[in-house]
PDB file of all heavy atoms in Angstrom:
ATOM      1  N   ASN A 144      45.350  77.721 -21.140  1.00 96.00           N
ATOM      2  CA  ASN A 144      45.107  76.739 -20.078  1.00 96.00           C
ATOM      3  C   ASN A 144      43.740  76.900 -19.425  1.00 96.00           C
ATOM      4  O   ASN A 144      43.538  76.480 -18.285  1.00 96.00           O
ATOM      5  CB  ASN A 144      46.242  76.787 -19.048  1.00 96.00           C
ATOM      6  CG  ASN A 144      46.463  78.193 -18.513  1.00 96.00           C
ATOM      7  OD1 ASN A 144      45.506  78.845 -18.088  1.00 96.00           O
ATOM      8  ND2 ASN A 144      47.703  78.672 -18.507  1.00 96.00           N
ATOM      9  N   ASP A 145      42.807  77.484 -20.166  1.00 97.00           N
ATOM     10  CA  ASP A 145      41.430  77.640 -19.675  1.00 97.00           C
ATOM     11  C   ASP A 145      40.910  76.261 -19.236  1.00 97.00           C
ATOM     12  O   ASP A 145      40.998  75.293 -19.989  1.00 97.00           O
ATOM     13  CB  ASP A 145      40.554  78.202 -20.811  1.00 97.00           C
ATOM     14  CG  ASP A 145      39.181  78.612 -20.319  1.00 97.00           C
ATOM     15  OD1 ASP A 145      38.527  77.806 -19.620  1.00 97.00           O
ATOM     16  OD2 ASP A 145      38.755  79.743 -20.638  1.00 97.00           O
ATOM     17  N   PRO A 146      40.366  76.169 -18.002  1.00 98.00           N
ATOM     18  CA  PRO A 146      39.906  74.855 -17.536  1.00 98.00           C
ATOM     19  C   PRO A 146      38.821  74.222 -18.411  1.00 98.00           C
ATOM     20  O   PRO A 146      38.583  73.022 -18.303  1.00 98.00           O
ATOM     21  CB  PRO A 146      39.392  75.130 -16.116  1.00 98.00           C
ATOM     22  CG  PRO A 146      39.454  76.582 -15.913  1.00 98.00           C
ATOM     23  CD  PRO A 146      40.309  77.195 -16.963  1.00 98.00           C
ATOM     24  N   LYS A 147      38.199  75.001 -19.292  1.00 98.00           N
ATOM     25  CA  LYS A 147      37.200  74.369 -20.169  1.00 98.00           C
ATOM     26  C   LYS A 147      37.853  73.295 -21.050  1.00 98.00           C
ATOM     27  O   LYS A 147      37.232  72.282 -21.367  1.00 98.00           O
ATOM     28  CB  LYS A 147      36.470  75.420 -21.020  1.00 98.00           C
ATOM     29  CG  LYS A 147      37.292  76.068 -22.104  1.00 98.00           C
ATOM     30  CD  LYS A 147      36.480  77.140 -22.842  1.00 98.00           C
ATOM     31  CE  LYS A 147      37.355  77.806 -23.897  1.00 98.00           C
ATOM     32  NZ  LYS A 147      36.752  78.985 -24.508  1.00 98.00           N
ATOM     33  N   TYR A 148      39.119  73.487 -21.405  1.00 98.00           N
ATOM     34  CA  TYR A 148      39.829  72.462 -22.187  1.00 98.00           C
ATOM     35  C   TYR A 148      40.187  71.263 -21.303  1.00 98.00           C
ATOM     36  O   TYR A 148      40.167  70.119 -21.740  1.00 98.00           O
ATOM     37  CB  TYR A 148      41.109  73.032 -22.804  1.00 98.00           C
ATOM     38  CG  TYR A 148      40.872  74.223 -23.700  1.00 98.00           C
ATOM     39  CD1 TYR A 148      41.445  75.463 -23.416  1.00 98.00           C
ATOM     40  CD2 TYR A 148      40.061  74.104 -24.835  1.00 98.00           C
ATOM     41  CE1 TYR A 148      41.219  76.564 -24.230  1.00 98.00           C
ATOM     42  CE2 TYR A 148      39.834  75.195 -25.663  1.00 98.00           C
ATOM     43  CZ  TYR A 148      40.419  76.433 -25.346  1.00 98.00           C
ATOM     44  OH  TYR A 148      40.191  77.509 -26.149  1.00 98.00           O
ATOM     45  N   ILE A 149      40.514  71.570 -20.049  1.00 98.00           N
ATOM     46  CA  ILE A 149      40.883  70.502 -19.111  1.00 98.00           C
ATOM     47  C   ILE A 149      39.663  69.632 -18.817  1.00 98.00           C
ATOM     48  O   ILE A 149      39.772  68.407 -18.713  1.00 98.00           O
ATOM     49  CB  ILE A 149      41.499  71.127 -17.829  1.00 98.00           C
ATOM     50  CG1 ILE A 149      42.797  71.869 -18.222  1.00 98.00           C
ATOM     51  CG2 ILE A 149      41.764  70.067 -16.771  1.00 98.00           C
ATOM     52  CD1 ILE A 149      43.441  72.678 -17.121  1.00 98.00           C
ATOM     53  N   VAL A 150      38.500  70.274 -18.742  1.00 98.00           N
ATOM     54  CA  VAL A 150      37.249  69.534 -18.556  1.00 98.00           C
ATOM     55  C   VAL A 150      37.021  68.583 -19.739  1.00 98.00           C
ATOM     56  O   VAL A 150      36.640  67.421 -19.552  1.00 98.00           O
ATOM     57  CB  VAL A 150      36.061  70.516 -18.386  1.00 98.00           C
ATOM     58  CG1 VAL A 150      34.718  69.816 -18.542  1.00 98.00           C
ATOM     59  CG2 VAL A 150      36.145  71.209 -17.026  1.00 98.00           C
ATOM     60  N   GLU A 151      37.296  69.051 -20.931  1.00 98.00           N
ATOM     61  CA  GLU A 151      37.158  68.186 -22.125  1.00 98.00           C
ATOM     62  C   GLU A 151      38.018  66.935 -21.998  1.00 98.00           C
ATOM     63  O   GLU A 151      37.571  65.831 -22.307  1.00 98.00           O
ATOM     64  CB  GLU A 151      37.648  68.948 -23.378  1.00 98.00           C
ATOM     65  CG  GLU A 151      36.563  69.626 -24.178  1.00 98.00           C
ATOM     66  CD  GLU A 151      37.132  70.258 -25.452  1.00 98.00           C
ATOM     67  OE1 GLU A 151      37.725  69.544 -26.269  1.00 98.00           O
ATOM     68  OE2 GLU A 151      36.974  71.491 -25.604  1.00 98.00           O
ATOM     69  N   ILE A 152      39.237  67.131 -21.547  1.00 98.00           N
ATOM     70  CA  ILE A 152      40.161  65.993 -21.392  1.00 98.00           C
ATOM     71  C   ILE A 152      39.669  65.066 -20.272  1.00 98.00           C
ATOM     72  O   ILE A 152      39.675  63.843 -20.403  1.00 98.00           O
ATOM     73  CB  ILE A 152      41.600  66.495 -21.076  1.00 98.00           C
ATOM     74  CG1 ILE A 152      42.121  67.384 -22.211  1.00 98.00           C
ATOM     75  CG2 ILE A 152      42.560  65.332 -20.840  1.00 98.00           C
ATOM     76  CD1 ILE A 152      42.117  66.764 -23.587  1.00 98.00           C
ATOM     77  N   ALA A 153      39.207  65.663 -19.182  1.00 98.00           N
ATOM     78  CA  ALA A 153      38.731  64.870 -18.036  1.00 98.00           C
ATOM     79  C   ALA A 153      37.513  64.027 -18.418  1.00 98.00           C
ATOM     80  O   ALA A 153      37.330  62.912 -17.920  1.00 98.00           O
ATOM     81  CB  ALA A 153      38.392  65.791 -16.866  1.00 98.00           C
ATOM     82  N   GLU A 154      36.679  64.561 -19.317  1.00 98.00           N
ATOM     83  CA  GLU A 154      35.497  63.806 -19.747  1.00 98.00           C
ATOM     84  C   GLU A 154      35.861  62.714 -20.746  1.00 98.00           C
ATOM     85  O   GLU A 154      35.253  61.649 -20.779  1.00 98.00           O
ATOM     86  CB  GLU A 154      34.459  64.768 -20.343  1.00 98.00           C
ATOM     87  CG  GLU A 154      33.737  65.538 -19.246  1.00 98.00           C
ATOM     88  CD  GLU A 154      32.850  66.656 -19.755  1.00 98.00           C
ATOM     89  OE1 GLU A 154      33.026  67.074 -20.922  1.00 98.00           O
ATOM     90  OE2 GLU A 154      31.990  67.115 -18.976  1.00 98.00           O
ATOM     91  N   LYS A 155      36.852  62.987 -21.548  1.00 98.00           N
ATOM     92  CA  LYS A 155      37.276  62.000 -22.558  1.00 98.00           C
ATOM     93  C   LYS A 155      38.037  60.837 -21.902  1.00 98.00           C
ATOM     94  O   LYS A 155      37.831  59.688 -22.244  1.00 98.00           O
ATOM     95  CB  LYS A 155      38.170  62.699 -23.579  1.00 98.00           C
ATOM     96  CG  LYS A 155      38.593  61.818 -24.755  1.00 98.00           C
ATOM     97  CD  LYS A 155      39.354  62.671 -25.777  1.00 98.00           C
ATOM     98  CE  LYS A 155      40.181  61.852 -26.730  1.00 98.00           C
ATOM     99  NZ  LYS A 155      39.467  61.102 -27.706  1.00 98.00           N
ATOM    100  N   TYR A 156      38.913  61.173 -20.926  1.00 98.00           N
ATOM    101  CA  TYR A 156      39.710  60.144 -20.244  1.00 98.00           C
ATOM    102  C   TYR A 156      39.228  60.054 -18.803  1.00 98.00           C
ATOM    103  O   TYR A 156      39.774  60.702 -17.910  1.00 98.00           O
ATOM    104  CB  TYR A 156      41.192  60.515 -20.262  1.00 98.00           C
ATOM    105  CG  TYR A 156      41.812  60.620 -21.636  1.00 98.00           C
ATOM    106  CD1 TYR A 156      41.809  61.834 -22.330  1.00 98.00           C
ATOM    107  CD2 TYR A 156      42.418  59.519 -22.249  1.00 98.00           C
ATOM    108  CE1 TYR A 156      42.387  61.945 -23.598  1.00 98.00           C
ATOM    109  CE2 TYR A 156      42.993  59.618 -23.507  1.00 98.00           C
ATOM    110  CZ  TYR A 156      42.979  60.834 -24.171  1.00 98.00           C
ATOM    111  OH  TYR A 156      43.549  60.935 -25.408  1.00 98.00           O
ATOM    112  N   LYS A 157      38.218  59.235 -18.574  1.00 97.00           N
ATOM    113  CA  LYS A 157      37.583  59.216 -17.250  1.00 97.00           C
ATOM    114  C   LYS A 157      38.499  58.666 -16.148  1.00 97.00           C
ATOM    115  O   LYS A 157      38.303  58.973 -14.973  1.00 97.00           O
ATOM    116  CB  LYS A 157      36.304  58.377 -17.306  1.00 97.00           C
ATOM    117  CG  LYS A 157      35.244  58.952 -18.254  1.00 97.00           C
ATOM    118  CD  LYS A 157      33.968  59.249 -17.503  1.00 97.00           C
ATOM    119  CE  LYS A 157      32.819  59.729 -18.357  1.00 97.00           C
ATOM    120  NZ  LYS A 157      33.063  60.912 -19.168  1.00 97.00           N
ATOM    121  N   THR A 158      39.480  57.857 -16.530  1.00 98.00           N
ATOM    122  CA  THR A 158      40.373  57.313 -15.496  1.00 98.00           C
ATOM    123  C   THR A 158      41.677  58.105 -15.374  1.00 98.00           C
ATOM    124  O   THR A 158      42.548  57.750 -14.576  1.00 98.00           O
ATOM    125  CB  THR A 158      40.722  55.828 -15.777  1.00 98.00           C
ATOM    126  OG1 THR A 158      41.320  55.735 -17.076  1.00 98.00           O
ATOM    127  CG2 THR A 158      39.490  54.937 -15.730  1.00 98.00           C
ATOM    128  N   LEU A 159      41.792  59.158 -16.154  1.00 98.00           N
ATOM    129  CA  LEU A 159      42.980  60.019 -16.049  1.00 98.00           C
ATOM    130  C   LEU A 159      42.817  60.961 -14.853  1.00 98.00           C
ATOM    131  O   LEU A 159      41.794  61.634 -14.724  1.00 98.00           O
ATOM    132  CB  LEU A 159      43.145  60.825 -17.343  1.00 98.00           C
ATOM    133  CG  LEU A 159      44.279  61.862 -17.367  1.00 98.00           C
ATOM    134  CD1 LEU A 159      45.648  61.201 -17.237  1.00 98.00           C
ATOM    135  CD2 LEU A 159      44.229  62.689 -18.663  1.00 98.00           C
ATOM    136  N   LYS A 160      43.820  60.984 -13.982  1.00 98.00           N
ATOM    137  CA  LYS A 160      43.777  61.919 -12.849  1.00 98.00           C
ATOM    138  C   LYS A 160      44.481  63.203 -13.271  1.00 98.00           C
ATOM    139  O   LYS A 160      45.632  63.166 -13.707  1.00 98.00           O
ATOM    140  CB  LYS A 160      44.443  61.289 -11.635  1.00 98.00           C
ATOM    141  CG  LYS A 160      43.613  60.134 -11.087  1.00 98.00           C
ATOM    142  CD  LYS A 160      44.405  59.268 -10.156  1.00 98.00           C
ATOM    143  CE  LYS A 160      43.559  58.094  -9.686  1.00 98.00           C
ATOM    144  NZ  LYS A 160      44.422  56.970  -9.260  1.00 98.00           N
TER     145      LYS A 160
END
Side-chain angles (χ1 to χ4, degrees):
N144 54 50
D145 190 311
K147 70 183 178 189
Y148 302 119
I149 297 173
V150 166
E151 264 184 58
I152 300 304
E154 284 171 342
K155 185 174 162 72
Y156 298 90
K157 297 239 184 304
T158 57
L159 175 64
K160 291 164 183 156

